[in-house]
Amino acid sequence: MEQMTGKAAEYEEPRDVETEYEKCEACGSNMKYDPKSNMLYCEHCGTKRSLGEEEQAAELAIEDALRAAEENGWAETTVFRCENCGAKVALAKGEIATSCPFCGTAQVVELDEMAGLKPNAVLPFRLTAEDSNEACKKWAKKKIYAPRAFKKNLKAENMHGVYIPCFTFDSRTSSRYYGRIGKRHTRTVGSGKNRRTETYIVWRNISGFYDHAFDDVTVTAGSKVTQKDLGKMAPFDSNNSKAYDGKYLLGFSSYCYEKDIVQCWSEAKGTMDAALRQMILSQYSYDLVDYLNVSTTHADVTYKYVLLPVYAGHFGFKKKNYNFFVNGTNGKVTGKTPVAIWKVALTVLAAAAALVGLAYLVMQFA
Ligand SMILES: [Zn+2]
Ligand SMILES: [Zn+2]
């Protein structure tokens, strides 16, 4: 939540928003987005319908967005009226896609109703919730320290698809750098009994220019999935994301950004800076860095405000809850598993035994 302005928070009337939804032409039921066929489908009678023309998402110039970011004010409470059953439904703060809790109709808040910047891109789900459950099982099987019962019984409960809000940034960078790096060398000194090798460091001043074009550096703008989790599920093929269309969200849940583009752009620059340092240093052979100053200018900066597909689920095991996130396009999983203490102990013992054995051998032949 953003900080409060000077005056005390006033009571706010819930704001009514319009939602979009799709009805089946054959039976009038609720339609959802189907990741497998990339079509809308009716849960009731199975009728499918094409999404119509799909467009690639565009890259947008950042300047206007940085200005618009100051205007974001998402109403504390938002409600919509379900056109199917007439119920008034409250949305969680920032929620833009949900299903009516009374009749199940999938609803997406209309783009015009969204506060602040509006998503311009979406990477549609390619996997179903069942696919992502299978991905979790495969992932757990590879965890050698996880208890067997955990791996055998793992079934993520409430596996549900969430589009998470992210910003991606492109930038053409030009950097000027100078610094001092060192390389270790060895030499033999002394003679006779005093003959020995010693290590010395040769220092060298470096400087130069470095150009690099970054493509789709991705920063998460929500709080549901951390940047670290996002990294573990990477890659998301955000370059192939589609122009935003609410239809992709039908049947899934989604939220608008909590961190604005100003903050996300600053984080992206941090990521780019770290990457540039590595790229600059990788041109040299070195063991130590005394210091490295890099000053970078950014040109042609563009962004996408993209919704990325993630399945979230959890599994209760021995009174503890384990959470998983699964990339909704490639099935990469991130999460924690319990650890079987005896498996770890066995590994430690085996390593210790190997060391003892080695020490014994060394003593034999010394
Ligand atoms: Zn139908
Ligand atoms: Zn309803």
Side-chain angles (χ1 to χ4, degrees):
M1 198 193 298
E2 297 308 312
Q3 70 209 55
M4 298 273 203
T5 45
K7 60 190 174 205
E10 287 157 27
Y11 174 73
E12 214 182 335
E13 278 287 313
R15 190 168 72 95
D16 284 299
V17 290
E18 295 292 322
T19 52
E20 53 177 304
Y21 59 96
E22 294 285 332
K23 290 261 154 246
C24 171
E25 282 143 6
C27 76
S29 270
N30 173 26
M31 296 201 100
K32 291 183 174 174
Y33 175 71
D34 174 35
K36 279 274 170 297
S37 61
N38 188 35
M39 289 171 100
L40 294 179
Y41 81 107
C42 171
E43 283 189 309
H44 189 68
C45 74
T47 297
K48 286 191 174 172
R49 190 197 305 164
S50 130
L51 292 170
E53 190 113 349
E54 289 183 282
E55 274 174 61
Q56 288 296 110
E59 294 281 346
L60 306 173
I62 199 170
E63 290 80 8
D64 298 342
L66 291 176
R67 273 192 295 275
E70 291 161 18
E71 294 155 22
N72 180 27
W74 190 272
E76 199 61 42
T77 42
T78 319
V79 293
F80 68 87
R81 190 176 163 280
C82 176
E83 298 282 337
N84 187 51
C85 73
K88 268 216 161 187
V89 180
L91 289 164
K93 191 170 190 234
E95 199 173 23
I96 56 175
T98 190
S99 294
C100 171
F102 302 100
C103 70
T105 302
Q107 316 259 353
V108 180
V109 173
E110 284 184 5
L111 204 59
D112 291 345
E113 301 272 14
M114 294 182 201
L117 277 188
K118 304 180 197 318
N120 77 302
V122 53
L123 183 65
F125 276 92
R126 285 290 162 257
L127 304 180
T128 63
E130 293 82 71
D131 295 337
S132 70
N133 223 327
E134 286 306 310
C136 274
K137 280 186 193 166
K138 273 191 201 146
W139 164 82
K141 267 194 191 126
K142 288 189 202 138
K143 299 281 169 185
I144 51 169
Y145 294 129
R148 187 204 291 257
F150 180 87
K151 300 187 200 186
K152 217 177 125 215
N153 300 318
L154 174 65
K155 186 178 186 323
E157 295 145 50
N158 295 336
M159 192 62 105
H160 65 286
V162 189
Y163 282 102
I164 57 164
C166 292
F167 287 103
T168 68
F169 298 97
D170 290 0
S171 176
R172 229 161 30 76
T173 63
S174 309
S175 307
R176 213 175 84 83
Y177 66 90
Y178 61 94
R180 188 167 176 256
I181 55 175
K183 180 116 184 109
R184 283 196 190 93
H185 292 265
T186 52
R187 61 186 162 205
T188 310
V189 292
S191 57
K193 275 212 156 183
N194 284 325
R195 206 178 142 85
R196 63 193 189 278
T197 44
E198 64 172 28
T199 306
Y200 64 102
I201 295 160
V202 177
W203 292 101
R204 172 183 171 201
N205 291 319
I206 57 168
S207 67
F209 297 91
Y210 196 89
D211 291 343
H212 183 77
F214 284 94
D215 181 34
D216 273 14
V217 173
T218 306
V219 178
T220 172
S223 58
K224 303 263 182 298
V225 172
T226 65
Q227 191 65 32
K228 203 173 153 196
D229 286 331
L230 193 73
K232 284 188 177 163
M233 286 183 279
F236 285 91
D237 190 12
S238 53
N239 266 324
N240 274 322
S241 51
K242 306 287 182 208
Y244 177 85
D245 183 338
K247 292 191 189 80
Y248 294 113
L249 276 59
L250 288 172
F252 297 91
S253 63
S254 186
Y255 293 83
C256 76
Y257 62 91
E258 291 169 60
K259 272 190 304 185
D260 67 21
I261 191 170
V262 177
Q263 195 182 337
C264 290
W265 170 228
S266 141
E267 283 179 34
K269 278 191 284 192
T271 305
M272 292 179 195
D273 283 345
L276 282 168
R277 291 181 74 83
Q278 287 311 313
M279 287 189 260
I280 289 167
L281 286 170
S282 72
Q283 308 172 101
Y284 301 97
S285 164
Y286 68 99
D287 298 309
L288 299 152
V289 179
D290 180 20
Y291 67 90
L292 178 66
N293 280 317
V294 184
S295 61
T296 300
T297 56
H298 295 265
D300 301 338
V301 181
T302 59
Y303 78 96
K304 288 193 295 270
Y305 172 11
V306 61
L307 303 176
L308 297 182
V310 169
Y311 280 103
H314 58 87
F315 177 51
F317 183 74
K318 291 192 173 167
K319 294 180 184 162
K320 262 193 157 180
N321 218 359
Y322 295 88
N323 294 302
F324 314 102
F325 291 120
V326 185
N327 182 324
T329 59
N330 65 15
K332 274 183 93 172
V333 181
T334 172
K336 283 202 170 73
T337 67
V339 168
I341 300 297
W342 67 268
K343 286 191 181 182
V344 180
L346 265 186
T347 311
V348 173
L349 279 177
L355 273 179
V356 169
L358 193 68
Y360 179 75
L361 275 177
V362 169
M363 284 193 304
Q364 289 285 302
F365 295 100

